[in-house]
Amino acid sequence: MGITVFKDSSDSTRTYLRITRAINGREQQRYVRVEGASKSAMKRAMKEAKEIDQRLEQWQSAVRQLMMLKGDTLIHEDGTILGLQLQTRHREGRKPATEFKLRVKLPGRKPLFKSVSVDKHGFEKAFELSVKRICELRGITEDSEAYGKMLMCIDAYKEKYDLPPGLSEATATHLDREDTPEKAANEKGWLDQISGWFKR
């Protein structure tokens, strides 16, 4: 990607500027001949080459944006989302903390890092909030094809979270809160459910 100077292999007196950019996986090349050996000739050719490169960059940006809106560049082959990982942190003397870690890299900017707690929001809500945040950072609307595709990636993360089949999210979510009557009731229901399994 960029502008390079090279000589014609069949005629060493001819000099060209080659403009190269990869667009949708295909390399696009354009050429500008340098008319003469003077600095002014190179300057004129370079100006034209930069104008061509700018047009190619606009094309490249438009294609990337279209692919992003469709979600084609945001989902890995394993079904997970680009820049979204599920992690559990183990700290001495504290309960393990599970969260979605977001890393969004936008062109020309430093990566942005965010996190959404699974312990606080529950697995499905935390996943949905993570997808929404990614879309906000990337300028993707919730009525886009990309947003819908990313929401459908939840099963790939459930496998990473290792949720047993048929086990409800409320049971699998580890809430890191003070004990409340509601929490005690939920835990009792969960213990009753496990007891029921052993009695079968």
Side-chain angles (χ1 to χ4, degrees):
M1 184 183 297
I3 301 172
T4 55
V5 181
F6 75 101
K7 298 282 187 180
D8 189 332
S9 59
S10 61
D11 185 349
S12 61
T13 64
R14 293 182 180 180
T15 303
Y16 293 87
L17 297 179
R18 178 169 54 202
I19 306 99
T20 308
R21 278 192 179 269
I23 299 176
N24 197 19
R26 297 183 63 182
E27 190 176 87
Q28 300 290 332
Q29 292 187 355
R30 302 290 184 271
Y31 298 87
V32 175
R33 184 175 175 181
V34 182
E35 300 289 350
S38 65
K39 289 184 178 179
S40 59
M42 178 60 78
K43 189 174 180 180
R44 285 193 301 271
M46 185 61 73
K47 181 181 178 182
E48 184 180 348
K50 286 181 177 179
E51 289 173 354
I52 293 172
D53 185 55
Q54 187 175 16
R55 291 197 296 270
L56 287 175
E57 184 181 20
Q58 291 171 349
W59 179 17
Q60 183 184 53
S61 179
V63 169
R64 283 178 177 170
Q65 187 65 23
L66 179 61
M67 292 176 69
M68 190 178 294
L69 289 173
K70 293 173 64 181
D72 294 342
T73 59
L74 298 174
I75 300 173
H76 295 296
E77 289 184 5
D78 66 354
T80 58
I81 297 169
L82 178 68
L84 181 62
Q85 291 185 340
L86 183 66
Q87 296 181 350
T88 300
R89 289 183 296 140
H90 298 275
R91 295 170 291 181
E92 188 175 347
R94 301 181 68 178
K95 292 181 180 179
T98 302
E99 59 189 7
F100 282 104
K101 302 289 286 185
L102 288 71
R103 180 187 184 277
V104 175
K105 178 69 174 75
L106 301 174
R109 297 185 186 179
K110 292 182 178 180
L112 300 170
F113 297 92
K114 302 288 180 184
S115 62
V116 180
S117 172
V118 171
D119 299 327
K120 179 180 179 181
H121 299 287
F123 183 86
E124 293 186 4
K125 184 64 177 177
F127 177 78
E128 184 181 346
L129 289 171
S130 299
V131 171
K132 284 184 177 180
R133 188 64 179 137
I134 288 172
C135 289
E136 287 172 6
L137 294 171
R138 292 189 177 278
I140 299 172
T141 61
E142 292 183 22
D143 60 353
S144 67
E145 186 176 349
Y147 180 74
K149 283 183 178 180
M150 284 191 281
L151 284 180
M152 289 190 292
C153 292
I154 190 169
D155 287 341
Y157 290 94
K158 282 186 174 180
E159 287 183 14
K160 288 181 179 291
Y161 195 62
D162 199 24
L163 289 179
L167 190 62
S168 69
E169 178 195 335
T171 301
T173 301
H174 308 289
L175 298 176
D176 190 14
R177 302 173 181 169
E178 295 181 2
D179 289 334
T180 62
E182 292 81 3
K183 181 178 179 182
N186 286 339
E187 288 180 352
K188 183 178 183 304
W190 181 65
L191 291 172
D192 289 344
Q193 185 179 0
I194 292 177
S195 299
W197 290 340
F198 285 115
K199 288 178 182 178
R200 290 176 186 171

